Amino acid sequence: MTYILGIESSCDETAASVVIDGRTIASNIVASQIDLHAEYGGVFPEVASRAHAEAIGLVVEQAVSDAGIGYEQLDAIAVTRGPGLVGSLLVGINYAKGLALMTGKPLLPINHLEGHIYSLWLTKPFHEPDFPILVLIVSGGHTELLLMTGHGQYEHLGGTIDDAAGEAFDKVGRLLKLPFPGGPHIERSGRNGNATAYDFPRAMRDTSYDFSFSGLKTAVMREVTVQPSAQARTKRKRGAEKRAQLKHDVSISDIAASFQAAVTDILVEKTVRAAQEFGATEIFLAGGVSANTMLRMKMRKESQLPVRYPPLNLCTDNAAMIAAAAHHRIQLGLTSRIDFDVLPMWNLNADTYSE
Ligand code: KG4
Ligand code: ZN
């Protein structure tokens, strides 16, 4: 049996987990900072790195002790190297390096997006898939369509050209005065709404596999807010959705349902089309937005292929997925020197690990 300790601190969750053989979670600790960021309506980088620094020691110790082992029983330590917030990533990396030096264990830098993909390997029951797999990663920071042709091998097919899917949920959530992060609240509110009440635009008529959500957000904004005067408009730029004033007769649940229908239509159409074009055997969904029930159901309905997604607690950021990804890298014989630095803009493709 191999025990890998994963450490994740790329955004607003301080997380540590011990995973056995890349498949079984022995412990999974996630300290969320959501309450700290709620008042800003988004993640505030300085607040995030300070909170990581305060939490990381306890979170890692708890993960090792919950797994019922000591540090000496670990086979390796894995840590998120990027993409993410520089200050947040640094906290995790520095802690992991210190631990690796102290314990003499190998340290593996892991791409956060690869972690999201390997959250699928932690589902139970599990059978090894046949490649290629079409992977859609949808989170607060990313919207990535990838072809996974083998373990550790990815071909980028498309991504967002503006907002990430989760970011669009969060911005619309802010417009509708729902708590942060907006995704789960929009889903909840939309359950009582009419998804055809508003016909929001689906920017997907082009043949590329890139996504765009900013037009959709603007359409929602026009529909639900009192339009400011031209003079006021020039003063409002960033954070406009936070300050926007809602019209009185707006049905929050209808807007939520209709917006969610538009986002999921866009995601499903491109994913299913790419899966057909590239001869994928299965579709894998990962990342925070893959917790969305409408997305899961539509993808199953529209695709002839099996569709897999992680259990809810592994959709959002966690460290078990980082340990699971590290297990597969070790299986491939891939290791790393300890003197690596953070990569806040790290793209996931075949040769990004080789530097
Ligand atoms: O993967 P994650 O925890 O963090 C990043 O790596 O970004 O994803 C967080 C994102 C947030 O934007 C949140 O609103 C969204 O996932 N999210 C959802 C749902 N649950 C979380 N979006 C739609 N429906 C949900 N049920
Ligand atoms: Zn994530």
Side-chain angles (χ1 to χ4, degrees), residues 56-303:
I56 195 148
L58 280 177
V59 166
V60 171
E61 268 175 36
Q62 185 78 47
V64 175
S65 90
D66 276 13
I69 57 167
Y71 288 97
E72 68 288 350
Q73 279 160 277
L74 291 173
D75 293 278
I77 299 167
V79 65
T80 305
R81 183 184 184 190
L85 300 168
V86 185
S88 293
L89 289 165
L90 271 171
V91 174
I93 285 192
N94 287 337
Y95 194 88
K97 283 183 179 176
L99 204 57
L101 287 172
M102 211 171 69
T103 57
K105 305 293 177 184
L107 177 63
L108 281 97
I110 296 296
N111 183 300
H112 180 81
L113 299 174
E114 182 166 61
H116 274 300
I117 295 172
Y118 278 95
S119 64
L120 270 306
W121 268 257
L122 296 165
T123 55
K124 302 263 169 155
F126 180 84
H127 61 92
E128 191 65 27
D130 287 328
F131 295 104
I133 300 162
L134 209 287
V135 182
L136 174 69
I137 306 174
V138 267
S139 70
H142 303 276
T143 305
E144 290 277 331
L145 207 48
L146 301 159
L147 192 66
M148 185 175 185
T149 51
H151 284 290
Q153 292 181 344
Y154 315 97
E155 211 177 291
H156 172 89
L157 304 179
T160 183
I161 57 167
D162 40 55
D163 293 345
E167 195 179 355
F169 270 98
D170 297 341
K171 286 182 175 174
V172 169
R174 243 171 355 231
L175 262 178
L176 302 179
K177 315 294 178 202
L178 296 171
F180 176 79
H185 296 281
I186 287 182
E187 167 153 30
R188 213 165 300 141
S189 168
R191 277 192 207 123
N192 310 315
N194 173 5
T196 57
Y198 298 88
D199 186 18
F200 290 129
R202 275 96 165 131
M204 58 188 179
R205 285 188 188 87
D206 64 308
T207 53
S208 84
Y209 291 117
D210 285 332
F211 299 90
S212 166
F213 295 106
S214 75
L216 172 58
K217 184 204 76 183
T218 307
V220 176
M221 186 136 152
R222 271 206 208 102
E223 199 63 60
V224 304
T225 58
V226 178
Q227 290 302 299
S229 66
Q231 193 190 13
R233 233 181 349 250
T234 56
K235 288 188 193 154
R236 296 172 169 207
K237 279 206 176 101
R238 269 192 93 220
E241 64 276 358
K242 197 176 168 190
R243 292 187 298 272
Q245 201 188 330
L246 278 185
K247 286 179 187 164
H248 290 302
D249 56 348
V250 137
S251 158
I252 302 288
S253 51
D254 283 355
I255 293 281
S258 304
F259 163 76
Q260 188 178 235
V263 175
T264 50
D265 276 353
I266 297 166
L267 293 172
V268 169
E269 194 272 340
K270 297 221 172 193
T271 307
V272 170
R273 185 156 51 82
Q276 276 165 358
E277 181 178 339
F278 293 95
T281 58
E282 293 194 45
I283 292 174
F284 279 19
L285 308 179
V289 183
S290 70
N292 188 275
T293 312
M294 190 185 270
L295 175 65
R296 293 173 167 202
M297 278 170 34
K298 261 189 206 169
M299 199 70 83
R300 278 191 184 281
K301 189 160 164 266
E302 299 300 322
S303 169

